[in-house]
Amino acid sequence: MGVALTRAAQWTAAGIGVGKLEFTPLNVTLLNSIIKFVEYVSSKHPQEAAFVFREPLEWTSKLEISAFGSDYQISKKTVVSKENIDGSALMNFVVSTGVIKVSTFNQLAKLLEIAQKERLKETQACLEANRDPIAKILGPSFATVEGEDKSMLRLLEKVKKGDEVSQAEVQMKLFLLLQQLDMQLLNTSLQKISQEVRLNPQAIKNDMQLLQSFSGEGDRTVLKSINYTSEYEFSNGCRAPPWRQVHGDICYLIIETHDTDTLYVTCSTAGVFLNGGLIKDSEDIIYDKKGDIYKDLITFLKEKSSTFAENLTRIQQNFTLQKKAPTSRKTMKTEVPTNEELDQSEKFSDYQDKNKLERKKTPPKLKIRDTKKEEPSHMHKNLEVSHQKFSKDDKIQAKDQDPKKIKQDKEKDEIITTGKYRCMASHEKKILRAGSIGSEELSDSSSESEEEQQDMDRQQESNSDLPSEYWQIQKVVKYLKGGNQTATVIALCSMKDFNLASESCQLAIRDVGGLEVLINLLDTEETKCKVGSLKILKEISKNPQIRRCLAELGGLEIMVKILDSSNKDLKCLAAETIANIARFRRARQTVRLHGGIRRLVGLLDCVPMLSANLNAEQVKDIEVARCGALALWSCSKSKKNKTAIRRSGGIPLLACLLKSTHENMLIPVVGTLQECASESSYRLAIRTENMVKDLVRNLNSESQELQMHCARAIFKCAEDEATRNLVRAHNGLGPLVKLFSKPDNKELLAAATGAVWKCAISMENVDRIIESLDGVRLLWSLLKKPNPDIQASAAWAICPCIENAKEAGEMVRSFVGGLELIVNLLKSDNIEVLASVCAALAKIAMDEENLAVITDHGVVPMLSSLTYTRDDTLRQHLADAVACCCKWGNNRVAFGENGAVAPLVHYLKSKNPLVHRATAEALHQLSFDPKNCITMHENGVVKLLLNLMESTDEDLQEAAAGCISNIRRLALANEKARYK
């Protein structure tokens, strides 16, 4: 069932987010099959139906309490089954939240019977909330995984051992039943899919060429523009990246109509539909389906744009007239037939020929492109189209020229043509975004300003502007394509001699089709060719455009396979290249899905780092491990990859490598650990594997980069009190404080202050090696740094130091100008800085003398001006600061006069309970002023506070009750005054 849900079911978000099961015919069939299976197990397999799940299946149900019958114990708050195991009910339904928990197939069958007409929706909700139900039913060891599944072997081992034989047999039978269901669901889905009528790349391409021919700014055109998001076309005709082609995607379009907003469209084998558009400030697409699926592009546009449908009908009529009277044909700028008409009369090729005739009438143009007159949607047409515009006179003139010059010009034209078309997805998206402004605006701008907007300054239109290396690389790539092994090796050596760190050389290789050739060489049996190719790819993949192209061309999959090679040089080069490419999300996903994480973890297994007298092979093994760690460092930025590294046994291997004395090994290892330490399981492993000691040891390294990564790892691990104690036990606080003396390295300072902040949460750490080392003074001095990351980290670190210091008030006042400095940071534009400073001011204001000083420095109006923020972190600490500053009575009045009360009331509408608690306390303090009470009452504070009184947070309850009491007391006093 897990495999079927992953591969066969149709989800609204394929690989992104949680996703929902779409209500499609295929999914309905799958859901009905699952319902029948549950009923079948309950009636035919009583032992298996009574088997208690390892974890209950849990989801939010729409069932009403009245639907349950006599088999259940019903109260106002819950419904539980009378059937139980060791006093625990096998079905539990919480009425207020709708959350239901079921622990056996028997109970599932009863629920489906209760649900009646709603059982499809209940089954859908259950599967959406439990994406891998087998793992919950039988345990984590039966989770759906890619590759070899050894769960059955483990079950057999249980039976052989004789421990709880009957239970293991039941478990085995149930597992077999679930596997049979999985196969049945997969077969059903295949049958359904095979019956569907599907689009293909050629059909989409024909429609696109047709619509592009008759799109423009005129009122009678069918569209303003229609463009692909990527001009790169794979050999199968698709323009979607390979990892989306497996889901049936063919290409993505951006369409400007005359009467709607911009349409972002997915063309897939299933049909045409709207997607979520481009992610803001990114080149990626939101692939989720929006709305219905249409059978083809024309039908889709007819439904979405009435102007398109009208103009299409007019063109259809014009076309019919022109067929009757071909001699009266005129320029066809807006004439495009419908798909139905093409089926009945003329094919697309006839139209294309007709357009060629019309284009020949245009004046000859010798330039490749005219940026002042060209529309955005035609900026990168293939030069074959522009060559069609040449008249016969131009060809006659060309014959009179020098043949050598003609050949040279032809070669240059070919290289520019290829360069225009290859791997330009990111550039095309920028052009398309610019095109949404309107072609009229673009045409008014100068050619120079237009080129500035393009990310192709390195690919000038004029041949004379291209560097000489560009043409030399073109010739080298031709030799690479020759097929002769010796010539290929020589060509690779020649290419390696170029300055591959130069962007012009990198892009030249891409533009002439060198990337495809280099990737193909990786799939040969010749080791020398593979090594040479990887050496080049390792260097040029540092370019963001190149690495995206390599990922789209399938290079990562081949490199992952090379990791299994027995040749250690190949392993090193492949791992380093993967490390470069896997710096964006899609590439990291590709590595994981093709088994790359497991292979990379395997590279870490080498001889002990501290071994002496290493031979050449052992040294090579250590280099392989270093390259593997580099690749894992890049891949570990993904949460799923972190889990994959842990499951592949990466933690003990990283712990072993952490004992190395070599900086080049330690940096990627610590880098991987600090990325993974955001997960609690890794923090526990780092502590139990005794890695904290090694991290502290490396804080004394001469490498500032290594120090920074160690400090970041400690910052993340110090979330846990046990780790904070270990840092102190291994004398790590001193080295951390000493890092403050390196003011030039901003990243190092930010990491060190963050680590000190987390360590200072423990009182013992503030007393030993922070106060005695004058660490608080050093932290305070970092507030003067202009870098907002350093300011925020320093302010956060100051908070626990003040809270846990013995003489906190006197310590803070001892810093000359320190209070004025921290108050002035409230003028920052950085949210993190503002939140951390508010948190620090809340601690400072606990001392009356310090509160008086910061009040004199204008803290009240500054805090009041921030109350309109919508950031919950800032809201929480801002409310804390207001509450603490209100302990001086005059400040309550001042906050009211500065308009802080009404915005604070609206904080109670936040969904964050921490904001609720802090805000309730602030309002309680402010409510001691009558005018503030009136403002609160006018903004509906009583109702909001009463809603929060149901919280289990006693501090929140107390503050809310106090605020309501003050408001009611004021209202009572007003009534008495009015009566008198």
Side-chain angles (χ1 to χ4, degrees):
M1 186 156 54
V3 175
L5 287 178
T6 303
R7 296 182 180 175
Q10 295 169 338
W11 298 85
T12 55
I16 302 175
V18 177
K20 299 288 184 183
L21 277 170
E22 296 187 45
F23 204 74
T24 62
L26 173 59
N27 281 351
V28 170
T29 303
L30 296 180
L31 291 174
N32 281 323
S33 298
I34 291 171
I35 290 170
K36 289 179 182 177
F37 172 79
V38 173
E39 294 170 346
Y40 167 75
V41 171
S42 179
S43 61
K44 302 294 184 182
H45 298 275
Q47 282 188 312
E48 288 73 23
F51 177 80
V52 180
F53 301 162
R54 184 67 63 88
E55 291 182 41
L57 297 179
E58 180 177 343
W59 71 94
T60 302
S61 173
K62 300 294 183 182
L63 292 175
E64 298 291 337
I65 192 171
S66 58
F68 294 90
S70 58
D71 290 342
Y72 301 91
Q73 295 176 352
I74 303 173
S75 65
K76 290 183 179 180
K77 294 185 177 180
T78 60
V79 177
V80 296
S81 63
K82 291 182 180 178
E83 188 180 359
N84 64 78
I85 296 291
D86 298 330
S88 297
L90 296 179
M91 195 287 297
N92 190 309
F93 177 53
V94 180
V95 178
S96 59
T97 61
V99 174
I100 193 167
K101 297 181 181 179
V102 182
S103 298
T104 65
F105 275 104
N106 272 336
Q107 289 297 325
L108 278 175
K110 289 181 180 180
L111 274 178
L112 291 175
E113 186 178 352
I114 291 170
Q116 296 179 355
K117 294 181 180 179
E118 301 298 320
R119 60 183 186 172
L120 263 182
K121 292 184 179 179
E122 287 296 316
T123 308
Q124 179 182 357
C126 175
L127 295 176
E128 287 173 351
N130 303 276
R131 291 290 287 267
D132 196 354
I134 294 178
K136 287 198 169 185
I137 293 171
L138 298 176
S141 59
F142 294 87
T144 302
V145 294
E146 294 292 332
E148 186 179 5
D149 186 1
K150 296 184 179 179
S151 50
M152 179 58 76
L153 295 177
R154 288 193 291 271
L155 263 179
L156 287 172
E157 287 298 322
K158 269 190 178 182
V159 175
K160 286 179 182 178
K161 289 178 182 176
D163 298 335
E164 301 178 357
V165 173
S166 59
Q167 185 73 359
E169 287 179 353
V170 171
Q171 198 173 6
M172 179 183 288
K173 289 179 182 177
L174 186 55
F175 181 66
L176 290 172
L177 288 170
L178 289 168
Q179 278 200 328
Q180 288 176 5
L181 172 64
D182 233 358
M183 293 303 298
Q184 178 189 338
L185 295 178
L186 287 172
N187 289 334
T188 302
S189 66
L190 285 173
Q191 291 172 6
K192 280 281 182 183
I193 290 170
S194 63
Q195 294 170 3
E196 294 177 0
V197 178
R198 303 208 152 216
L199 287 180
N200 58 67
Q202 188 57 45
I204 296 294
K205 189 174 183 180
N206 289 349
D207 284 351
M208 277 292 293
Q209 289 176 328
L210 199 59
L211 292 173
Q212 282 180 331
S213 299
F214 304 106
S215 296
E217 288 299 320
D219 293 336
R220 297 170 66 84
T221 55
V222 290
L223 298 168
K224 287 184 180 178
S225 65
I226 177 169
N227 296 283
Y228 296 107
T229 59
S230 172
E231 284 300 316
Y232 182 79
E233 183 177 322
F234 290 91
S235 58
N236 60 1
C238 294
R239 295 171 190 263
W243 67 278
R244 288 299 307 176
Q245 290 182 31
V246 297
H247 297 287
D249 290 5
I250 297 173
C251 63
Y252 310 103
L253 311 177
I254 298 180
I255 303 175
E256 293 280 344
T257 68
H258 291 290
D259 56 348
T260 68
D261 294 334
T262 302
L263 302 176
Y264 298 92
V265 178
T266 296
C267 297
S268 73
T269 54
V272 179
F273 55 86
L274 285 175
N275 59 46
L278 299 175
I279 298 174
K280 187 177 181 182
D281 300 327
S282 173
E283 299 168 0
D284 290 332
I285 293 171
I286 302 172
Y287 298 103
D288 296 4
K289 180 173 72 68
K290 305 288 184 183
D292 298 330
I293 300 179
Y294 297 85
K295 65 177 183 178
D296 55 40
L297 193 54
I298 302 296
T299 306
F300 169 84
L301 287 170
K302 278 184 177 179
E303 184 68 24
K304 297 298 180 184
S305 171
S306 58
T307 303
F308 174 85
E310 291 172 6
N311 289 351
L312 196 62
T313 303
R314 185 185 302 116
I315 290 166
Q316 182 179 356
Q317 294 171 352
N318 292 342
F319 173 73
T320 305
L321 291 174
Q322 287 171 1
K323 284 203 70 180
K324 292 179 180 177
T327 55
S328 63
R329 188 187 327 180
K330 295 185 179 180
T331 304
M332 297 165 55
K333 291 185 178 178
T334 63
E335 298 171 2
V336 54
T338 61
N339 274 4
E340 293 83 354
E341 185 177 356
L342 284 175
D343 293 338
Q344 295 170 5
S345 55
E346 247 179 291
K347 300 295 183 184
F348 172 76
S349 57
D350 299 329
Y351 257 86
Q352 203 171 29
D353 293 337
K354 206 173 292 183
N355 289 335
K356 287 179 182 177
L357 290 173
E358 297 302 327
R359 282 198 292 268
K360 287 182 180 178
K361 296 179 182 179
T362 60
K365 296 181 181 179
L366 295 177
K367 292 185 179 178
I368 292 173
R369 59 179 285 206
D370 185 352
T371 56
K372 293 185 179 180
K373 297 181 180 179
E374 195 173 25
E375 290 183 359
S377 59
H378 300 289
M379 280 184 173
H380 295 287
K381 289 284 187 183
N382 195 322
L383 286 185
E384 291 178 4
V385 177
S386 64
H387 286 168
Q388 291 173 1
K389 297 180 181 178
F390 286 178
S391 66
K392 293 181 179 179
D393 295 336
D394 298 320
K395 294 180 180 178
I396 293 170
Q397 289 176 5
K399 288 181 181 178
D400 297 334
Q401 296 178 1
D402 184 10
K404 291 184 179 180
K405 191 169 188 246
I406 293 173
K407 184 178 180 182
Q408 185 178 1
D409 290 342
K410 185 177 179 182
E411 287 180 355
K412 291 180 179 180
D413 282 350
E414 287 176 358
I415 189 63
I416 294 174
T417 304
T418 311
K420 294 289 184 187
Y421 250 108
R422 292 193 185 276
C423 302
M424 294 174 62
S426 61
H427 172 57
E428 290 298 327
K429 290 176 183 175
K430 292 178 182 177
I431 294 297
L432 292 171
R433 290 194 192 106
S436 64
I437 300 171
S439 61
E440 292 180 3
E441 294 180 20
L442 284 177
S443 62
D444 291 338
S445 61
S446 66
S447 59
E448 290 81 10
S449 63
E450 184 180 12
E451 286 184 2
E452 286 175 4
Q453 294 178 5
Q454 302 177 11
D455 190 26
M456 303 294 292
D457 291 337
R458 69 209 49 100
Q459 295 185 17
Q460 291 87 352
E461 299 300 331
S462 171
N463 296 341
S464 60
D465 293 334
L466 293 170
S468 59
E469 291 88 349
Y470 198 94
W471 311 113
Q472 294 170 8
I473 287 175
Q474 177 193 6
K475 294 177 182 178
V476 172
V477 171
K478 285 184 178 179
Y479 285 112
L480 283 179
K481 295 178 180 178
N484 180 280
Q485 180 187 350
T486 305
T488 299
V489 173
I490 293 172
L492 287 170
C493 294
S494 176
M495 187 178 288
K496 187 73 174 64
D497 290 337
F498 285 98
N499 180 16
L500 297 179
S502 164
E503 190 176 26
S504 60
C505 289
Q506 294 167 352
L507 297 178
I509 294 173
R510 180 198 71 180
D511 293 345
V512 299
L515 295 182
E516 292 92 329
V517 180
L518 291 170
I519 289 174
N520 287 338
L521 289 175
L522 298 181
D523 216 10
T524 63
E525 298 299 325
E526 300 298 331
T527 302
K528 290 182 180 179
C529 293
K530 289 183 179 180
V531 169
S533 177
L534 282 172
K535 284 183 177 180
I536 295 167
L537 290 173
K538 184 188 79 171
E539 295 300 324
I540 65 176
S541 59
K542 295 172 184 176
N543 184 300
Q545 297 181 58
I546 298 294
R547 54 177 171 251
R548 287 187 177 272
C549 290
L550 290 173
E552 288 187 355
L553 292 169
L556 273 174
E557 292 89 326
I558 300 175
M559 293 175 200
V560 166
K561 290 179 182 177
I562 291 176
L563 296 176
D564 290 329
S565 170
S566 59
N567 187 298
K568 294 175 183 177
D569 289 327
L570 279 177
K571 287 182 178 180
C572 288
L573 290 168
E576 282 192 276
T577 311
I578 291 173
N580 290 338
I581 300 174
R583 293 182 184 176
F584 63 101
R585 180 180 57 80
R586 195 190 315 155
R588 293 192 288 270
Q589 184 186 49
T590 301
V591 173
R592 183 182 72 253
L593 294 178
H594 287 83
I597 300 298
R598 174 176 53 80
R599 291 178 170 93
L600 289 170
V601 168
L603 300 185
L604 303 182
D605 194 6
C606 62
V607 296
M609 291 289 96
L610 301 178
S611 299
N613 302 322
L614 298 176
N615 58 37
E617 282 300 308
Q618 291 173 328
V619 171
K620 182 65 72 175
D621 287 337
I622 292 175
E623 178 62 13
V624 170
R626 183 191 72 82
C627 296
L630 271 175
L632 287 174
W633 187 9
S634 294
C635 293
S636 63
K637 291 177 173 61
S638 161
K639 186 174 181 179
K640 290 184 179 179
N641 284 355
K642 293 173 188 176
T643 304
I645 293 170
R646 177 173 55 79
R647 289 180 176 174
S648 301
I651 293 177
L653 293 173
L654 289 169
C656 179
L657 296 178
L658 190 58
K659 300 185 183 299
S660 170
T661 56
H662 302 288
E663 175 191 318
N664 63 346
M665 173 68 81
L666 286 170
I667 288 176
V669 169
V670 178
T672 305
L673 288 172
Q674 65 97 3
E675 286 290 347
C676 294
S678 56
E679 302 290 321
S680 58
S681 57
Y682 273 93
R683 295 199 294 271
L684 175 63
I686 288 172
R687 187 168 70 247
T688 55
E689 292 282 347
N690 201 26
M691 286 189 260
V692 175
K693 180 179 179 181
D694 295 316
L695 292 173
V696 168
R697 171 176 57 84
N698 288 312
L699 287 174
N700 296 311
S701 168
E702 294 181 359
S703 167
Q704 292 190 5
E705 185 180 2
L706 179 57
Q707 288 176 324
M708 176 195 68
H709 291 303
C710 288
R712 282 184 176 174
I714 291 172
F715 162 70
K716 291 183 178 179
C717 292
E719 288 281 346
D720 308 318
E721 184 179 1
T723 303
R724 296 196 291 269
N725 294 336
L726 282 175
V727 173
R728 182 179 70 254
H730 293 301
N731 300 317
L733 297 174
L736 282 173
V737 173
K738 287 180 183 177
L739 295 180
F740 296 166
S741 61
K742 299 179 179 179
D744 297 332
N745 192 327
K746 296 176 182 177
E747 290 185 340
L748 178 59
L749 283 177
T753 49
V756 170
W757 161 32
K758 288 301 175 70
C759 290
I761 295 173
S762 297
M763 186 179 297
E764 297 86 351
N765 289 345
V766 176
D767 293 338
R768 177 184 169 188
I769 312 194
I770 293 177
E771 280 190 12
S772 60
L773 290 168
D774 206 15
V776 182
R777 182 186 61 79
L778 292 171
L779 283 172
W780 216 285
S781 66
L782 293 179
L783 295 175
K784 299 177 182 178
K785 298 290 180 184
N787 185 281
D789 291 335
I790 296 175
Q791 291 173 342
S793 296
W796 286 125
I798 285 170
C799 294
C801 292
I802 297 174
E803 185 176 14
N804 295 324
K806 294 177 181 177
E807 299 293 337
E810 186 176 344
M811 177 187 71
V812 170
R813 287 192 297 278
S814 67
F815 304 133
V816 179
L819 290 174
E820 182 181 6
L821 170 64
I822 199 165
V823 170
N824 284 334
L825 284 177
L826 291 174
K827 299 175 183 177
S828 173
D829 295 328
N830 186 284
I831 292 290
E832 190 70 16
V833 172
L834 294 172
S836 60
V837 169
C838 285
L841 287 171
K843 307 298 181 187
I844 292 168
M846 300 296 288
D847 182 87
E848 290 186 7
E849 292 185 39
N850 289 340
L851 176 55
V853 174
I854 62 175
T855 301
D856 290 340
H857 287 307
V859 73
V860 172
M862 289 186 182
L863 290 175
S864 300
S865 67
L866 298 175
T867 53
Y868 290 94
T869 181
R870 294 188 176 182
D871 183 86
D872 271 357
T873 303
L874 177 53
R875 282 179 166 183
Q876 175 194 343
H877 296 291
L878 176 58
D880 274 335
V882 170
C884 293
C885 289
C886 282
K887 292 180 180 177
W888 191 15
N890 290 339
N891 282 351
R892 294 171 185 151
V893 178
F895 276 117
E897 292 174 349
N898 282 278
V901 178
L904 282 170
V905 171
H906 292 286
Y907 287 12
L908 298 176
K909 298 177 183 178
S910 167
K911 295 181 180 179
N912 190 329
L914 296 176
V915 176
H916 296 161
R917 181 198 295 179
T919 305
E921 181 58 36
L923 293 173
H924 180 209
Q925 295 295 332
L926 289 166
S927 66
F928 287 101
D929 178 68
K931 291 184 179 179
N932 291 343
C933 284
I934 294 171
T935 304
M936 292 180 201
H937 182 69
E938 290 173 348
N939 284 274
V941 74
V942 175
K943 182 179 179 181
L944 293 170
L945 288 172
L946 286 173
N947 290 336
L948 297 178
M949 289 289 284
E950 298 178 2
S951 169
T952 57
D953 189 329
E954 294 181 359
D955 292 335
L956 173 58
Q957 290 179 346
E958 184 179 351
C963 184
I964 293 172
S965 176
N966 287 344
I967 293 173
R968 287 178 174 170
R969 190 183 302 118
L970 174 66
L972 183 61
N974 287 341
E975 285 296 321
K976 288 181 178 178
R978 188 181 305 170
Y979 177 75
K980 290 180 181 179

